[in-house]
Each structure stands twice: as structure tokens, then as C-alpha cells.
């Protein structure tokens, strides 16, 4: 769909084909809303914030400035995690922690794709968590997900070990802030930027995660452009994980990594 079609179908709550078969029309009120939508778009606001939703893993997610807009690359993390569970953990009850859940896209799509999972979805932002809870209800996934407001592992019980931790943390370098496209300025900064090198969260999570993952469990990250080498170094130095798999995205960029906990 073109952007105009996206805006119109969202505004009129109709299908693309309805726009051309004459079944829908714009009254004065809707005309007014459409022109304000077009102005917002011209000012650089992401279209998903204007329509109020996005698709992720074929599911409908509400989005607004409380959380990052789910990106298509992140679907790779979800697909690969589902595959890993089907191959290595099939038939077992699996505990998953989704750190930095944001809109809840990863936790919710995992919950919809897998049978025997219990997922904890955490985020430091109470506003993001509210949105994630709304998305769990929209997608009827609330039964499998518990939500937790926590700065990484701070509020997690020390007695509970997860089979898998997934995380798409903020990973942009802080000096990219200036040259970033205008669209990014509409999204929460805390969901995007991660210190000078963009690897702040990877080092912190690799440091703390071993206490929360079972032996032979996995820490699965989405990573940023050119970060693989640095993250591998941190992981190797921890002596707790081996880098088992690296998956590239549609642009041939290393995007998702599996770290297996070895001791
Ligand atoms: N988990 C969410 C996503 O993958 C949010 C990630 C974030 O805020 N960095 O889109």
C-alpha cells in the first residue's frame, strides 16, 4: 500500500480495495483528520504512529510514542527463536524472558507461535509496559505473559532460571543522535540509544544474564550494524557463553545472535 492508502484505510477502517470500489467516502470531519495526518507525516512523524498500528509477524500491534515501532528485522529474531525451541526444546515447558519488551511485539508473537511457554516481558518504562499489556489483550496472549517493570534484571526473582532470554536492546551510538533521520526523533530515546559505542546493554546483559539462564539455555540478541565483533569479545571474556549462531538480515547484515550458556 502507498502511504496515502495506509492513512485512508486506517482512517476509514476499510480494506485497500474498498478505496477503489466506491463503498467508502470522506465527510468533512474525516477530510479534516486526513489533512492533519498528512501534515504530521510531512513533519516526519512515522506513519505507524499516525495510523496507530503496525503489523509484526502477521499480528496487529498498537503503537504510539510510548515505545519503539517494531521493525521487520526483529521478525528474524522471533522466527529463529521459534525454530530453536522446536528443534531443541520440543515438548518441554519453556520459560522465556523478553528484556526491553517495548510494545511487547517479541513476547506476544512468541506466545502466539508456541504452545508450552511462559513468558516474562520486562521493561524499564512503565509507559511501554502499559502499551505491551494492551497489545497482549488485543492479541489474546495475556494468559502466557507476565509483565514486569524492571531495569534489566533488577526486579527479577533470583530463584528463577529461564531457558531462553531474548532481547532487542537499544543499540544505536549516542553520537548517531544528531545524524539520525527525523523519523527516529519521534521514538523514545531510551529505546534507541546505548552509549558511545551502542553496546552498553550487551555488556550489562552478558554480565548479569548467567545467573538467570539454565545451563545450555540461550541468550538471543538482535544486534546493530558492525557490532558482532565487539559483542563476541565481551561474550568470550565472560567465559559463560559460546557464540553458536549468527543470522543475517535481508541486507546481509549480521542481525541476530545465539549465545549458548556453557557453564
Ligand atoms: N522489543 C521491542 C522491539 O523489538 C523494543 C525494543 C527496544 O525498545 N529497544 O521492537
Amino acid at each position: 500500500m502507498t502511504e496515502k492508502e495506509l492513512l485512508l484505510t486506517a482512517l476509514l477502517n476499510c480494506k485497500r480495495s474498498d478505496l477503489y470500489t466506491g463503498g467508502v467516502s470522506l465527510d468533512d470531519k474525516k477530510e479534516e483528520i486526513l489533512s492533519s495526518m498528512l501534515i504530521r507525516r510531512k513533519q516526519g512523524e512515522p506513519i505507524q504512529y499516525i495510523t496507530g498500528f503496525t503489523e509484526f509477524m502477521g499480528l496487529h500491534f498498537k503503537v504510539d510514542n510510548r515505545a519503539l515501532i517494531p521493525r521487520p528485522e526483529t521478525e528474524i529474531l522471533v522466527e529463529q527463536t521459534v525454530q530453536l525451541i522446536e528443534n531443541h526444546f520440543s515438548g518441554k515447558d519453556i520459560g522465556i524472558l523478553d528484556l526491553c519488551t517495548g510494545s511487547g511485539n517479541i513476547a506476544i508473537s512468541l506466545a502466539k507461535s508456541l504452545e508450552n511457554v511462559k513468558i516474562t516481558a520486562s521493561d524499564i518504562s512503565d509507559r511501554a509496559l502499559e502499551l505491551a499489556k494492551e497489545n497482549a489483550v488485543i492479541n489474546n496472549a495475556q494468559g502466557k505473559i507476565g509483565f514486569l517493570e524492571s531495569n534489566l534484571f533488577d526486579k527479577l526473582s533470583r530463584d528463577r532460571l529461564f531457558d531462553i532470554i531474548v532481547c532487542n536492546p537499544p543499540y544505536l551510538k549516542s553520537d548517531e543522535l544528531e545524524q539520525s533521520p527525523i523519523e527516529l526523533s519521534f521514538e523514545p530515546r531510551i529505546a534507541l540509544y546505548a552509549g558511545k559505542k551502542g553496546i552498553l546493554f550487551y555488556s550489562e546483559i552478558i554480565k548479569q544474564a548467567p545467573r538467570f539462564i539454565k545451563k545450555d539455555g540461550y541468550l538471543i540478541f538482535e544486534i546493530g550494524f558492525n557490532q558482532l565483533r565487539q559483542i563476541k569479545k565481551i561474550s568470550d571474556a565472560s567465559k559463560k557463553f559460546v557464540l553458536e549462531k549468527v543470522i543475517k538480515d535481508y541486507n546481509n547484515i549480521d542481525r541476530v545472535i545465539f549465545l549458548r550458556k556453557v557453564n
Side-chain angles (χ1 to χ4, degrees):
M1 275 202 256
T2 63
E3 291 209 337
K4 239 195 183 137
E5 287 170 340
L6 264 171
L7 292 173
L8 278 167
T9 49
L11 177 63
L12 297 167
N13 193 18
C14 67
K15 297 200 293 282
R16 179 175 178 267
S17 57
D18 296 336
L19 300 174
Y20 301 101
T21 48
V24 288
S25 64
L26 282 174
D27 56 20
D28 289 353
K29 181 101 207 287
K30 296 242 160 83
E31 285 275 11
E32 218 173 277
I33 302 174
L34 179 64
S35 64
S36 82
M37 285 172 138
L38 290 166
I39 292 169
R40 286 168 70 185
R41 187 65 196 118
K42 232 186 209 139
Q43 288 166 344
E45 187 166 345
I47 191 144
Q48 297 90 334
Y49 282 168
I50 303 172
T51 61
F53 77 94
T54 196
E55 296 279 325
F56 182 83
M57 292 297 293
L59 300 169
H60 186 92
F61 284 88
K62 180 172 171 179
V63 286
D64 55 39
N65 64 12
R66 287 176 287 177
L68 194 81
I69 298 164
R71 306 294 203 265
E73 300 88 86
T74 307
E75 293 183 341
I76 300 172
L77 182 151
V78 174
E79 286 160 358
Q80 293 286 330
T81 303
V82 170
Q83 234 179 64
L84 173 82
I85 292 174
E86 284 169 353
N87 293 341
H88 288 265
F89 298 86
S90 114
K92 294 191 195 128
D93 290 336
I94 301 297
I96 301 176
L97 170 63
D98 174 26
L99 283 177
C100 312
T101 196
S103 64
N105 54 323
I106 296 176
I108 292 165
S109 45
L110 287 175
K112 298 299 282 184
S113 311
L114 296 160
E115 283 299 322
N116 307 318
V117 287
K118 272 252 163 293
I119 301 174
T120 301
S122 85
D123 203 287
I124 192 172
S125 157
D126 57 337
R127 297 182 73 234
L129 272 183
E130 283 310 314
L131 177 63
K133 285 178 196 165
E134 288 166 29
N135 276 321
V137 173
I138 291 169
N139 287 292
N140 197 19
Q142 63 278 44
K144 288 182 183 167
I145 308 176
F147 293 91
L148 182 70
E149 188 182 328
S150 174
N151 181 4
L152 300 180
F153 298 93
D154 281 4
K155 297 275 155 55
L156 277 159
S157 142
R158 308 264 143 179
D159 325 314
R160 173 132 185 249
L161 292 177
F162 293 93
D163 297 280
I164 293 173
I165 298 180
V166 288
C167 182
N168 175 23
Y171 56 66
L172 297 182
K173 296 183 191 142
S174 45
D175 68 4
E176 288 179 283
L177 196 62
E178 244 90 280
Q179 317 123 35
S180 296
I182 178 90
E183 265 99 343
L184 285 190
S185 68
F186 289 83
E187 294 182 279
R189 264 182 200 209
I190 56 160
L192 288 165
Y193 299 98
K196 236 181 150 155
K197 296 187 194 152
I199 56 165
L200 202 82
F201 291 93
Y202 300 109
S203 19
E204 199 49 45
I205 293 168
I206 288 169
K207 191 159 100 195
Q208 294 190 48
R211 268 185 292 147
F212 297 91
I213 310 185
K214 292 180 189 164
K215 177 156 189 300
D216 289 320
Y218 285 85
L219 174 56
I220 301 176
F221 280 129
E222 177 170 324
I223 65 170
F225 178 70
N226 240 345
Q227 291 179 330
L228 177 63
R229 216 170 39 89
Q230 294 169 80
I231 297 169
K232 182 175 184 309
K233 214 165 140 190
I234 299 167
S235 163
D236 288 349
S238 82
K239 300 203 162 67
K240 300 282 182 194
F241 296 101
V242 288
L243 175 61
E244 196 171 275
K245 197 169 178 187
V246 180
I247 303 116
K248 291 187 186 293
D249 68 12
Y250 320 110
N251 295 312
N252 215 28
I253 293 171
D254 297 323
R255 187 58 72 189
V256 174
I257 59 170
F258 285 8
L259 299 173
R260 183 163 57 84
K261 185 166 171 242
V262 283
N263 61 58

